[in-house]
Amino acid sequence: MSGIVSNRARGIEPSVTLALNTKANMLKEKGEDVIGLAAGEPDFDTPEVIRKAAIRAIESGKTKYTAAAGIMPLRKAVAQSYSERLGVRYLPEEVVISHGAKHSIFNALYVLTDPGDEVMLLAPYWTSYPEMVKLVGAVPRIVYLDGSTGYKLTPERLEEELAKGKTKVLLFNSPGNPAGIVYSKDELTSLCNLVRKEGIALISDEIYEFLTFSGWRHYSPVTVVPGLREQTVVVTGVSKGYAMTGWRVGFAMAEKEAAYRMAAYQAHATGCPNSISQWAALEAVTKGERDREKMRDEFEKRKNMFGERLSKIQSISYPEPGGAFYFLADVSELYGPCRVSGSAEFCEKLLRENGLLLIPGGAFGCDGMVRFSFAAAEKDLVEALDRFESFVKRYV
Ligand code: PMP
Ligand code: GLU
């Protein structure tokens, strides 16, 4: 153990999703016969119009620091397009461009909490949430959800949980990672009315907003209960919808003071978001819709194909994803026959024996489950299913 590292830093571990994604890529580069369904990012190239906008930005010298909260044309474009989309008005100064949705969530947590404040998270949660809460000195309060409510928070449960503690912030994510859970308008409205009544802050992570499948629609909390605008930080960005994960651009929308403080924090912590990427993001927001929809259609085809085959594999169950690009399956019935004690060992065995890399549910607060990402080429998805099926058949 190093003598120079603080106790605080000793509590931080790397992101399991990013680490396993890197591991899958490394094994493939070494020529190993591995299929990785770890990736939480679109496998498509960033659309050409967007790439060209970045090249134009470089050629025209847009390579300097920008304002800490982002370039004004992008803040204006986000304010305009999201005011229309959300049905709630945001001014450009209420939009803060950051280094990715992850960064926006961190900024929001920093600005909305004091050390020791409680942040409510819903498990299965995205792996970074509890770590980010701890990093800002707040305390994660995890509410475990299960199949009995379709892995969704109900108003009764929210009321019960709020009564127990002193929650300052609710961190909410629909469409959700890791299970693709999408709340309906009615479900969301009941929850949001309660949040409004309680007066707690809400961070609404809407990074998968454009990735919903037939029969499902994304609603933002501020759309269904507009009064929530004053209590909410809406977080989104270009990573998932426009296949721009590596460009690192996220957006946060919030009432004036929260936006001002997030920009001030960011000014000291990171300076400003990448200039070239912001110009590319502007192209995405203003001209990227057609490409975005094409990619969404492709994800829907894959989801249908993947779900049809997964549903025939015995001893597993999963909630039907309404959005994002993941299936989160309960595989705990297989642990006994496979002689493993949890999701990490299960995934290690699956990788060793059948060359398939998945993310263990332990990373999302649900050790009985594993996450499959269908953001991969169709032939890899078919091969992955073959491998998973033959692994399961070996043990049951
Ligand atoms: N929220 C969720 C639920 C995610 O899955 C991700 C993916 N990394 C993010 C936020 C962060 O997105 P970004 O790449 O824009 O930081
Ligand atoms: N959000 C994605 C995932 O869950 C990307 C990796 C990460 O940033 O965690 O896999």
Side-chain angles (χ1 to χ4, degrees), residues 15 17-18 38 40 102 126-127 177 208 240 326 371:
S15 153
T17 46
L18 287 177
K102 190 180 267 187
W126 176 41
T127 191
N177 179 6
Y208 296 97
K240 315 287 177 172
Y326 311 106
R371 189 188 79 176

Side-chain angles (χ1 to χ4, degrees), residues 156-299:
E156 297 73 33
R157 182 75 189 274
L158 177 59
E159 220 163 0
E160 195 184 308
E161 295 296 336
L162 285 172
K164 276 188 210 163
K166 40 176 183 23
T167 300
K168 180 81 192 297
V169 180
L170 169 64
L171 178 41
F172 186 79
N173 172 219
S174 174
N177 179 6
I181 298 298
V182 178
Y183 284 72
S184 72
K185 189 176 183 185
D186 287 349
E187 288 165 342
L188 193 64
T189 308
S190 322
L191 293 174
C192 289
N193 279 329
L194 262 173
V195 172
R196 176 89 184 109
K197 199 175 97 200
E198 285 290 320
I200 60 170
L202 178 67
I203 301 175
S204 179
D205 177 355
E206 304 180 21
I207 190 69
Y208 296 97
E209 59 176 325
F210 294 114
L211 289 169
T212 52
F213 306 122
S214 303
W216 304 86
R217 219 181 124 179
H218 167 67
Y219 291 94
S220 173
V222 296
T223 305
V224 298
V225 178
L228 265 185
R229 184 193 183 286
E230 303 311 304
Q231 280 161 249
T232 304
V233 178
V234 175
V235 173
T236 184
V238 290
S239 297
K240 315 287 177 172
Y242 301 92
M244 291 180 71
T245 46
W247 298 74
R248 312 306 303 131
V249 180
F251 313 141
M253 283 159 271
E255 59 81 31
K256 270 200 188 79
E257 178 167 14
Y260 175 84
R261 301 290 173 198
M262 285 192 287
Y265 174 67
Q266 171 166 299
H268 297 294
T270 59
C272 66
N274 177 304
S275 172
I276 299 149
S277 295
Q278 292 186 69
W279 290 100
L282 176 61
E283 194 78 5
V285 171
T286 53
K287 301 200 187 111
E289 186 177 341
R290 235 189 39 189
D291 287 306
R292 189 186 75 209
E293 283 307 300
K294 261 200 258 165
M295 293 188 274
R296 193 216 64 86
D297 292 348
E298 188 54 37
F299 280 126

Side-chain angles (χ1 to χ4, degrees), residues 346-375:
F346 180 86
C347 288
E348 272 164 35
K349 196 172 177 109
L350 181 61
L351 178 63
R352 204 168 52 240
E353 295 183 4
N354 285 65
L356 174 61
L357 193 139
L358 305 178
I359 307 269
F364 310 113
C366 50
D367 200 37
M369 307 182 92
V370 293
R371 189 188 79 176
F372 300 81
S373 160
F374 53 90

